[in-house]
């Protein structure tokens, strides 16, 4: 749960600490806006989500949802990282409602996070819910902690992948990459 009152107080103190006037026009409502922003982007409402599961009807192909956009906050610098996730699985006996995959991304991205952990948490959650024959995830994101500070490389993107089960086989990874590039 986001403590909006505490965030407002701390934001006001932050504004003072950087040498600005928290009561000047343009900044006076910043503490409220920051608290609202934190509530929105660190929203835990999907943490206890219910999964919609269906019988797979013996489907044994790849289920892929491409281009799931997401944003998260780097836990090291409290700066955003923003990108897309491609998520695929091979069902065993059940399939999951497609919208639940996007909600699964939200569940794990709407908190202080690392991109590598984000990939692992999504895969672990899917494994626990579906027990599929394999999962593949590809995350590509731009991290503001690399683009506006430190090394300042605005065109840099970070890619992380996780493959489980049948996707550990190289030819299955090739098929996955062909599918995500077939726009």
């Amino acid at each position: 749960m986001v403590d909006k009152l505490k965030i407002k107080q701390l934001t006001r103190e932050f504004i003072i600490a950087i040498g600005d006037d928290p009561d000047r026009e343009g900044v006076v409502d910043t503490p409220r806006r920051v608290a609202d922003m934190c509530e929105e982007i660190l929203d835990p409402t999907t943490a206890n989500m219910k999964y919609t599961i269906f019988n797979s009807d013996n489907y044994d192909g790849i289920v892929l949802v491409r281009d799931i956009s997401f944003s998260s906050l780097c836990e090291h610098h409290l700066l955003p990282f923003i990108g897309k996730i491609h998520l695929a699985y091979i069902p065993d006996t059940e399939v999951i409602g497609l919208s639940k995959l996007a909600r699964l991304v939200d569940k794990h991205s709407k908190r202080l996070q690392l991109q590598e952990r984000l990939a692992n948490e999504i895969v672990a959650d899917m494994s626990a819910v579906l027990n599929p024959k394999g999962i593949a995830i590809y995350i590509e994101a731009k991290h503001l902690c690399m683009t506006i500070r430190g090394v300042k490389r605005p065109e840099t993107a970070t890619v992380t992948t996780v493959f489980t089960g049948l996707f550990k086989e190289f030819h299955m990874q090739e098929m996955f990459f062909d599918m995500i590039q077939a726009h």
Side-chain angles (χ1 to χ4, degrees):
M1 180 103 205
V2 173
D3 185 342
K4 290 176 71 172
L5 180 60
K6 186 76 168 178
I7 292 170
K8 285 192 253 184
Q9 293 167 344
L10 293 171
T11 302
R12 181 175 171 79
E13 292 300 315
F14 176 78
I15 292 168
I16 293 167
I18 62 171
D20 209 333
D21 176 5
D23 296 317
R24 77 171 169 84
E25 186 180 347
V27 178
V28 71
D29 284 334
T30 297
R32 178 195 50 79
R33 287 190 293 268
V34 170
D36 291 346
M37 181 256 325
C38 287
E39 183 177 58
E40 181 181 341
I41 67 173
L42 299 170
D43 180 11
T45 58
T46 57
N48 296 317
M49 65 184 260
K50 295 191 187 307
Y51 298 96
T52 307
I53 306 294
F54 305 97
N55 184 297
S56 69
D57 292 327
N58 297 316
Y59 179 78
D60 64 355
I62 295 172
V63 177
L64 167 68
V65 177
R66 279 193 303 226
D67 298 323
I68 303 170
S69 58
F70 79 97
S71 61
S72 193
L73 281 180
C74 165
E75 67 183 38
H76 297 144
H77 301 99
L78 298 183
L79 288 171
F81 61 100
I82 301 164
K84 293 196 177 199
I85 295 177
H86 308 289
L87 186 54
Y89 70 99
I90 301 170
D92 187 12
T93 60
E94 298 175 317
V95 294
I96 191 168
L98 295 176
S99 69
K100 299 305 185 231
L101 295 176
R103 288 192 174 114
L104 186 61
V105 168
D106 286 346
K107 173 183 176 181
H108 295 287
S109 65
K110 299 298 180 194
R111 60 177 154 209
L112 300 181
Q113 191 58 278
L114 297 174
Q115 185 170 327
E116 299 85 349
R117 184 184 317 118
L118 176 62
N120 282 333
E121 288 177 350
I122 291 169
V123 168
D125 217 352
M126 281 187 69
S127 293
V129 170
L130 285 177
N131 194 28
K133 295 177 184 174
I135 298 172
I137 187 170
Y138 177 100
I139 302 176
E140 183 170 344
K142 290 195 174 203
H143 293 248
L144 264 64
C145 59
M146 282 191 61
T147 63
I148 66 170
R149 59 155 303 280
V151 296
K152 296 182 181 140
R153 298 297 192 271
E155 298 306 314
T156 304
T158 301
V159 173
T160 51
T161 61
V162 176
F163 301 104
T164 70
L166 295 177
F167 280 109
K168 285 191 176 252
E169 298 174 20
F170 182 72
H171 76 279
M172 293 300 290
Q173 292 174 22
E174 284 184 311
M175 187 180 301
F176 170 69
F177 287 122
D178 286 346
M179 289 174 73
I180 65 174
Q181 293 173 356
H183 286 272

